Amino acid sequence: MEKIIVQGGKQLKGTITVSGAKNAVLPVIVASLLSDGACRIQDVPRLTDVETICDVLGEVGAKIKIIDAHTLDINCNKINKFEASYEYVSKMRASNLVMGPLLARLGKAKISMPGGCAIGTRPIDLHLKGFEAMGARIKLEHGYIIAEAPRLTGARIYLDYPSVGATENIIMTGSLAHGVTVIENAAEEPEIVDLANFINSMGGRIKGAGTKIVKIEGVKNLGSTTHTIIPDRIEAGSFMVAAAITGGELMLENVIADHLKPVIAKLIEIGVEIEEVGNGLYIRASNPLKAVDIKTLPYPGFPTDMQAQFMSLLTVVQGTSVLTETVFENRFMHAEELRRMGADIKIEGRSAVVEGMNRLTGALVRASDLRAGAALIIAGLAAEGVTEIGNIYHIDRGYDRIVDKFRSVGANISRS
Ligand code: UD1
């Protein structure tokens, strides 16, 4: 099993170019299932999650051509299967996003039921409620969810919770339904706006993406397009926290600062200097840092996908910080690993109480999920001695060449 090995103590200094967003590219690749034309997708990050979603599309008959390291051509003119098997859905929960487009294109979709995962049970009831409201019949058989709809009709759908995946699945389905679909209490994440822009560039009619009310006017068919993926705000945020914990200085290129507002605000509150420079961000941590409280919320609140990285940072910031996780249950697995590095963290229900200390010490640790993995690298960068991180397949799912990027700004980090 491969490991990432970090020798702590180096201040990061230099420039990093942020890759295309994982959480945007996955739904965009899936949405090309809606098109009977040719889709070119640019600024695709190199991630194992991208490989998995391409395998899912290949399984249903899509033709995918790799043009270069960051460009894909996808043609879904002749999709002919309506099933996403257990092999893929168990590897990556976002595979369930193909359900809506398959239902819309083929009138039927069969998806392995998502099981539990490291960060909570993560049901997809809101996705299914949306399909039902549009006229689909849903049944569960042998561990699979089967949705059937000879004809999908636009509907008014109120989401009990602004789920990112449910909003995306309903937008995609509604794009080829008869009539108008309105999603109320929709998720407002920037990745949803990127998805809507992609569908609209194929001839879709989606309005209000990025707000609580999204209106989708169904069209008969969607055609060809070229689309560039937005920068990854969570990758950018992870490097910002890494700069902060090492007392370093980084210039991040290819950033949309607007998407990072809650992350920037927290880092400034902690005492980090941040400046917008063109389409980039300059980060410097030279002052003493202060403890803060953080509560994760749906966008535009503080992202749950940044909670673990901030926890690493706050373990070495003097004072008491409280991190409250409201989006996912059971998303504190990294706390146990950080304790192995000497951190003082107590979990009290949905909150983690962190008592900042002078420094962490390197240890053997394991990534329990993607962001937990990034948090352990960040902790290792500041720890005394060597940190060896196992289960790094989690990290490869969502960070494009993270070891190379950290090395390029002076980190002592390698894979072995
Ligand atoms: C997406 C992101 C993930 C991020 C999360 C929250 C992708 C590929 N993944 O995941 O990185 O952490 O948004 O910002 O974009 N829920 C239900 N019923 C549903 C759907 C969701 O109860 O039908 C619950 C979930 O269990 C969870 C919460 O809603 O507690 C948020 O989930 P959701 O917004 O759907 O996240 P994902 O789309 O899975």
Side-chain angles (χ1 to χ4, degrees):
M1 288 283 260
E2 258 194 310
K3 286 186 171 144
I4 289 179
I5 299 165
V6 190
Q7 167 81 54
K10 288 268 170 98
Q11 281 185 327
L12 301 186
K13 199 166 182 171
T15 302
I16 293 176
T17 302
V18 173
S19 298
K22 169 182 97 74
N23 287 352
V25 77
L26 298 177
V28 164
I29 289 176
V30 167
S32 58
L33 283 170
L34 296 167
S35 163
D36 41 31
C39 299
R40 170 158 293 189
I41 306 171
Q42 302 177 144
D43 225 347
V44 176
R46 277 187 264 172
L47 310 171
T48 53
D49 267 8
V50 168
E51 289 168 20
T52 304
I53 205 70
C54 287
D55 288 344
V56 176
L57 259 71
E59 199 184 25
V60 299
K63 296 276 169 282
I64 302 180
K65 211 157 126 193
I66 299 169
I67 303 302
D68 61 42
H70 298 289
T71 310
L72 291 178
D73 276 1
I74 306 183
N75 194 311
C76 297
N77 193 15
K78 295 200 173 84
I79 56 165
N80 49 15
K81 283 206 195 111
F82 48 79
E83 182 173 330
S85 58
Y86 179 73
E87 185 193 342
Y88 300 123
V89 182
S90 61
K91 234 194 234 174
M92 187 184 72
R93 299 180 51 83
S95 313
N96 64 42
L97 287 175
V98 300
M99 195 156 192
L102 290 179
L103 188 59
R105 277 292 296 282
L106 305 173
K108 188 167 179 180
K110 182 176 172 190
I111 310 288
S112 171
M113 272 174 76
C117 76
I119 55 174
T121 49
R122 296 178 88 169
I124 58 162
D125 54 312
L126 299 170
H127 304 229
L128 302 181
K129 270 192 201 166
F131 301 148
E132 276 178 328
M134 285 189 258
R137 273 182 297 114
I138 311 279
K139 56 184 181 185
L140 307 178
E141 256 173 31
H142 309 295
Y144 278 81
I145 301 168
I146 300 164
E148 273 177 285
R151 182 187 158 94
L152 287 162
T153 322
R156 185 170 277 269
I157 298 161
Y158 178 86
L159 294 180
D160 297 340
Y161 184 90
S163 152
V164 174
T167 303
E168 292 170 344
N169 232 334
I170 296 167
I171 286 177
M172 291 189 280
T173 315
S175 293
L176 289 181
H178 297 267
V180 177
T181 299
V182 178
I183 312 175
E184 289 173 313
N185 199 29
E188 299 169 78
E189 270 69 0
E191 293 76 19
I192 289 168
V193 180
D194 204 34
L195 171 67
N197 288 342
F198 173 65
I199 297 174
N200 285 345
S201 73
M202 299 193 289
R205 294 199 191 134
I206 303 162
K207 285 193 187 136
T211 73
K212 286 197 176 307
I213 299 183
V214 183
K215 193 170 161 190
I216 309 122
E217 204 182 314
V219 295
K220 277 214 166 66
N221 60 304
L222 293 165
S224 304
T225 190
T226 296
H227 180 80
T228 303
I229 298 295
I230 55 167
D232 197 313
R233 62 194 165 102
I234 306 300
E235 188 198 10
S238 303
F239 287 126
M240 290 164 82
V241 175
I245 203 170
T246 62
E249 195 180 348
L250 284 184
M251 183 66 215
L252 298 180
E253 306 279 10
N254 192 35
V255 175
I256 300 177
D258 221 34
H259 296 172
L260 279 153
K261 270 188 191 155
V263 171
I264 292 173
K266 268 301 153 194
L267 284 171
I268 290 175
E269 194 183 332
I270 291 173
V272 180
E273 290 166 58
I274 300 177
E275 207 183 307
E276 254 186 84
V277 185
N279 75 340
L281 279 180
Y282 169 76
I283 301 106
R284 190 165 70 149
S286 52
N287 303 321
L289 303 181
K290 293 189 294 280
V292 294
D293 292 341
I294 292 175
K295 189 177 193 176
T296 68
L297 286 168
Y299 191 86
F302 187 91
T304 173
D305 285 350
M306 285 302 304
Q307 178 256 105
Q309 301 88 317
F310 269 76
M311 189 185 288
S312 291
L313 171 61
L314 293 169
T315 62
V316 287
V317 172
Q318 293 304 310
T320 307
S321 298
V322 180
L323 295 105
T324 304
E325 176 59 60
T326 77
V327 179
F328 289 110
E329 55 188 277
N330 197 20
R331 202 177 190 175
F332 284 138
M333 311 270 278
H334 41 280
E336 204 59 60
E337 300 301 302
L338 289 171
R339 271 197 214 120
R340 292 175 54 76
M341 300 176 72
D344 181 350
I345 306 165
K346 283 184 198 70
I347 306 296
E348 293 172 4
R350 293 211 144 200
S351 294
V353 181
V354 181
E355 294 295 343
M357 53 207 329
N358 281 335
R359 64 171 172 227
L360 298 170
T361 46
L364 294 180
V365 289
R366 266 196 208 152
S368 53
D369 66 63
L370 168 60
R371 306 305 171 187
L376 293 173
I377 295 181
I378 289 168
L381 291 171
E384 187 195 330
V386 177
T387 300
E388 273 190 39
I389 302 155
N391 287 357
I392 62 170
Y393 60 90
H394 285 297
I395 301 173
D396 293 334
R397 288 186 45 198
Y399 285 92
D400 185 350
R401 291 162 297 137
I402 192 167
V403 168
D404 296 347
K405 288 190 182 185
F406 271 127
R407 280 166 81 102
S408 75
V409 291
N412 192 339
I413 182 171
S414 58
R415 293 173 78 108
S416 82

